[in-house]
Amino acid sequence: MASIHYATELNAEQLAAVQAPDGPVLVIAAAGTGKTRTLTYRVAWLVEHGVEARRILLMTFTNRAAHEMLERATVLVGGAVGGLWGGTFHHMANRMLRRHAGLLGYKPDYTILDQDDAKSLVKTCAAELKLAGKEFPKADVLLSVFSLAANVEKPVREQAEKHFADHHVSLDEVLRVHQAYEAHKRQLHAMDFDDLLVNGLRLFREHPEVLARYQEQFEYILVDEYQDTNTLQAEWVDRLAAQRRNLLVVGDDFQSIYSWRGANFANIISFPQRYAGTTIFKLVTNYRSVPEILDLANACIAGNPEQFQKTMKATRPGHKKPTLVRLRDGDSQARYVVERIRRLLRQGRSPNEIAVLYRAHFHAMELQMELTRQGIPFIVTSGVRFFEQAHVKDVCALVRVLVHGDDQLAFVRLLGLLPKIGEKTALKIFHKLGGKLDLADPDTGVRVERLLPEAAQPLWRKIEPIIAAFGPEKLGEDPGEIIYRFLAAFYEDFALNHFENAARRLEDLQGLINFTTRYESAEDFLSEIALLTNLDAETEAPDEDARSMLKLSTVHQAKGLEWPVVFLLWMNEGLFPSQRSLDDHATEAEERRLFYVATTRAKDDLVLCVPEIRRVRDGGVMPCIPSRFITEVPLELFAEEYVGFI
């Protein structure tokens, strides 16, 4: 195969990184600057210069990324890359553990538990300890606690204490389940995904002769998305690279946004201190976005003090400034975005060229309703539209039962939240009540209690006062108050025990409470939701059409993607950045990085929406001020538009 003309196929920044000298190398690759291309050509460069492929280790965060790079490298240098070790940290750790598992007390043919296997095993452990029930954390929640503790190398008790703070969960019981889970895995000669990382590192820590073997084998180590590594992964790589120090890591500190799942920002920031003599390259030539969008991204991210400062340079010609739109409220924002989308479609844009991004799922409530009303198909990255999510349907079940006492489906769903009650038991109780929760009877709540299994009665007594107050306090005029009381009395604890992302779901429900203030009655609220849910079903596109649809996504889920047109919703203090981040400088810095990720998803047009008010539970409105990510940059970077009421 003919030699590759690196100087003509790469820009000067990429070329310098590809041809980097031996020793530790840190490549800081800003958004849209050709990171994958650089890594691929680095592999080709090493092979072309006599390095055997089997002596190269390429670490990525998805097997798909590794396959893509290897396929591209094969096109460049042919079959010479065939023996390269490439894949995820889990894949590489498993490959080594299969050879050396006996040193850690495992059989070489140990089983790897997938998520469903692990969940089933945790359920079994809780049942054996007689802890299973709706008042005890579910297997998914326990697994998320165990997993995060493993990935940040913290004791399970410490992580559980943090997760269940201010809630009635016995830490001792959580630890008993964890101990039983670990014992069962040993008996089954099984590892879950976290064990692959934990044991992969343990293999190196406890058996230096094994480590020495791989240190000798891997002459060059390359790591992609280094800003997303956790402490286990960073140490695993550090130990492998300790002898030769030919370690090249690629990442963007500006895009480190996953601390909540264990990623350690310090890994990339401290790299030059950990590796004396590090050569640093910066990729700043951006091929994705127009210069006006990059000007905004550069200006905002400069506000973070602890980072590798860099300024992206555009290769595309000038287009137009990001549009800053000041609107009245969430409804006005939704109508404006829909009208702009319609205009874009008339101008020839395809729906899949447009994305609407937001910090939290509840920020898109009004927009989802408006899109549904107007029959515009869309797809949500979570796969579930707002009012179809389990936690939203759970709290609405109580409202439905109070408004329509004969709503069998809602009654069954509500009782199903209690321990020891399945669908059959709930239906039996419903029929014994005469097929109706009769709110005209002041003792109706007590009648339900008498029919419940003993284990469910204490929790039902927390819900009873809401039922008793429905008529006397005219709660039918205030669906938000019903949901608010339900959260405080019962559902907050329920969510914490049942959902690994409980904080996000509870944030959604607070948003839902504020959203209900537009309705004069619980009946109106339920009617609107029912209508829109049915319209959702009518406008649902076939799976094969999903790729051509308008995309709604949180910013976290949009990382790595790009669209010609991007709308950002609710660019207000307390919403983006989130309220939880405002008292924590480290978290605020991560929120700013999240905003940088959001802006750099846009290729041509970026629209930032800033409503002036939010409706709140007491029926009033709350003034909203623009996000600091808007106010801390020069106003001339925006094209301003004031919409107000529409």
Side-chain angles (χ1 to χ4, degrees):
M1 182 172 288
S3 178
I4 301 166
H5 299 290
Y6 292 92
T8 57
E9 297 185 25
L10 301 168
N11 68 31
E13 298 161 359
Q14 295 167 342
L15 180 64
V18 165
Q19 298 180 341
D22 286 359
V25 177
L26 173 61
V27 181
I28 300 295
T33 58
K35 167 180 69 69
T36 300
R37 185 177 184 82
T38 301
L39 268 174
T40 301
Y41 275 79
R42 175 64 173 179
V43 170
W45 170 267
L46 292 173
V47 171
E48 268 204 342
H49 285 75
V51 180
E52 294 180 64
R54 71 176 189 86
R55 310 203 65 177
I56 301 172
L57 175 63
L58 172 62
M59 305 299 304
T60 61
F61 269 78
T62 65
N63 284 315
R64 180 181 175 183
H67 292 151
E68 180 185 351
M69 290 184 207
L70 292 178
E71 285 175 5
R72 292 190 191 184
T74 301
V75 171
L76 294 173
V77 295
V81 297
L84 183 145
W85 282 45
T88 65
F89 285 90
H90 295 88
H91 177 72
M92 291 298 109
N94 178 54
R95 189 167 175 179
M96 295 176 185
L97 286 166
R98 289 295 180 193
R99 296 180 176 181
H100 311 287
L103 296 173
L104 301 180
Y106 288 89
K107 295 177 181 177
D109 62 345
Y110 60 82
T111 302
I112 299 177
L113 303 179
D114 63 21
Q115 193 68 10
D116 284 341
D117 294 332
K119 186 165 75 170
S120 295
L121 189 54
V122 169
K123 278 183 180 176
T124 298
C125 294
E128 288 175 352
L129 293 167
K130 298 188 174 9
L131 295 172
K134 292 192 173 79
E135 289 187 85
F136 190 71
K138 292 297 167 192
D140 310 58
V141 178
L142 293 171
L143 275 173
S144 71
V145 171
F146 302 163
S147 177
L148 190 55
N151 282 286
V152 299
E153 290 197 288
K154 298 287 186 184
V156 171
R157 175 178 282 276
E158 181 180 325
Q159 192 58 42
E161 191 170 30
K162 182 178 178 182
H163 184 87
F164 297 112
D166 303 322
H167 289 269
H168 308 297
V169 174
S170 167
L171 298 183
D172 288 337
E173 291 178 348
V174 170
L175 288 177
R176 286 172 62 202
V177 174
H178 179 254
Q179 289 159 2
Y181 176 56
E182 292 298 312
H184 274 65
K185 284 188 294 181
R186 278 289 191 177
Q187 291 167 4
L188 296 169
H189 292 282
M191 298 187 202
D192 61 24
F193 267 39
D194 297 314
D195 291 327
L196 295 175
L197 293 183
V198 170
N199 289 326
L201 181 54
R202 198 178 132 218
L203 182 67
F204 287 172
R205 285 174 174 173
E206 297 178 6
H207 297 279
E209 73 285 359
V210 175
L211 174 60
R213 167 181 172 174
Y214 290 106
Q215 286 175 334
E216 174 60 29
Q217 175 179 342
F218 296 123
E219 192 174 348
Y220 290 90
I221 301 172
L222 292 74
V223 184
D224 189 21
E225 300 285 10
Y226 191 70
Q227 79 281 347
D228 293 334
T229 54
N230 60 33
T231 55
L232 293 173
Q233 293 161 333
E235 184 183 339
W236 193 81
V237 169
D238 285 349
R239 286 177 178 269
L240 268 179
Q243 182 177 320
R244 298 180 182 275
R245 300 180 79 246
N246 288 333
L247 172 62
L248 183 147
V249 302
V250 180
D252 185 4
D253 54 313
F254 287 5
Q255 297 187 71
S256 179
I257 59 173
Y258 294 121
S259 65
W260 49 275
R261 68 183 190 195
N264 189 349
F265 180 67
N267 291 343
I268 191 167
I269 287 295
S270 67
F271 189 88
Q273 286 72 52
R274 301 201 324 272
Y275 285 89
T278 293
T279 305
I280 300 177
F281 298 94
K282 294 182 181 180
L283 306 185
V284 296
T285 302
N286 179 286
Y287 294 91
R288 176 187 300 158
S289 305
V290 296
E292 294 85 354
I293 290 174
L294 297 186
D295 288 342
L296 174 59
N298 285 330
C300 176
I301 198 64
N304 273 358
E306 188 184 14
Q307 59 190 17
F308 295 104
Q309 296 294 353
K310 54 188 176 291
T311 302
M312 286 184 291
K313 300 181 298 185
T315 57
R316 299 183 57 197
H319 179 54
K320 64 181 181 182
K321 295 178 181 179
T323 305
L324 180 64
V325 188
R326 301 183 189 275
L327 304 121
R328 173 66 175 169
D329 56 16
D331 289 333
S332 178
Q333 174 179 248
R335 290 191 292 270
Y336 170 81
V337 170
V338 170
E339 178 51 39
R340 280 289 298 263
I341 289 171
R342 285 198 177 282
R343 196 186 317 164
L344 287 163
L345 297 177
R346 289 195 297 269
Q347 293 169 352
R349 285 287 187 195
S350 170
N352 67 351
E353 294 182 301
I354 306 168
V356 183
L357 307 183
Y358 34 84
R359 176 65 183 84
H361 283 282
F362 75 89
H363 294 178
M365 264 190 299
E366 296 95 343
L367 179 63
Q368 287 193 31
M369 295 186 79
E370 190 65 23
L371 287 168
T372 303
R373 284 192 194 101
Q374 299 206 26
I376 299 177
F378 62 94
I379 186 167
V380 182
T381 53
S382 67
V384 182
R385 300 187 181 202
F386 187 84
F387 290 102
E388 287 298 310
Q389 295 178 101
H391 54 295
V392 176
K393 293 179 78 171
D394 286 347
V395 299
C396 288
L398 176 60
V399 183
R400 287 169 58 187
V401 166
L402 292 175
V403 174
H404 303 293
D406 58 354
D407 189 331
Q408 176 181 299
L409 292 176
F411 184 86
V412 169
R413 187 178 191 101
L414 178 63
L415 258 62
L417 302 177
L418 303 174
K420 303 296 183 184
I421 298 185
E423 183 178 352
K424 288 183 179 178
T425 302
L427 281 171
K428 284 181 183 177
I429 294 172
F430 186 71
H431 293 314
K432 286 181 179 178
L433 291 170
K436 183 177 182 180
L437 187 71
D438 184 5
L439 294 183
D441 177 1
D443 295 325
T444 190
V446 177
R447 288 184 62 209
V448 174
E449 182 183 336
R450 290 177 186 144
L451 296 170
L452 293 173
E454 188 176 343
Q457 291 177 4
L459 287 177
W460 178 257
R461 283 194 286 270
K462 295 182 178 182
I463 302 171
E464 273 182 25
I466 307 172
I467 297 171
F470 182 75
E473 297 186 32
K474 298 183 178 179
L475 296 184
E477 299 174 7
D478 190 352
E481 179 66 18
I482 298 171
I483 297 171
Y484 173 79
R485 293 189 188 189
F486 188 47
L487 282 177
F490 171 80
Y491 201 79
E492 282 187 13
D493 281 334
F494 177 89
L496 196 78
N497 290 337
H498 285 71
F499 304 120
E500 57 182 292
N501 55 350
R504 194 268 291 169
R505 292 178 187 256
L506 291 172
E507 190 177 46
D508 281 352
L509 295 177
Q510 291 297 333
L512 177 64
I513 290 170
N514 291 335
F515 180 78
T516 63
T517 58
R518 73 192 60 214
Y519 300 103
E520 293 185 0
S521 70
E523 177 74 71
D524 290 345
F525 168 65
L526 293 175
S527 296
E528 181 82 345
I529 291 176
L531 176 64
L532 288 170
T533 303
N534 288 328
L535 286 174
D536 273 349
E538 291 171 14
T539 60
E540 196 82 13
D543 289 343
E544 61 268 21
D545 294 336
R547 287 189 297 273
S548 65
M549 291 168 64
L550 170 73
K551 177 68 69 71
L552 272 59
S553 175
T554 63
V555 181
H556 279 105
Q557 291 170 312
K559 185 176 178 288
L561 304 175
E562 59 184 50
W563 295 270
V565 182
V566 170
F567 293 86
L568 296 182
L569 303 184
W570 286 109
M571 289 304 309
N572 300 91
E573 285 290 280
L575 296 171
F576 198 166
S578 70
Q579 189 62 45
R580 292 194 304 272
S581 72
L582 296 182
D583 298 325
D584 185 331
H585 291 303
T587 311
E588 181 198 336
E590 183 159 327
E591 290 283 304
R592 188 173 282 104
R593 296 194 291 270
L594 191 62
F595 177 66
Y596 167 89
V597 168
T599 58
T600 54
R601 299 311 93 199
K603 297 165 70 174
D604 304 329
D605 297 314
L606 177 63
V607 181
L608 303 98
C609 297
V610 185
E612 294 181 333
I613 61 170
R614 286 181 72 203
R615 301 172 189 269
V616 291
R617 187 175 66 85
D618 62 6
V621 295
M622 181 177 73
C624 295
I625 62 174
S627 166
R628 65 191 62 191
F629 305 147
I630 301 291
T631 59
E632 68 189 13
V633 301
L635 195 57
E636 58 265 25
L637 294 180
F638 300 102
E640 279 201 275
E641 188 175 334
Y642 185 83
V643 176
F645 293 96
I646 62 171

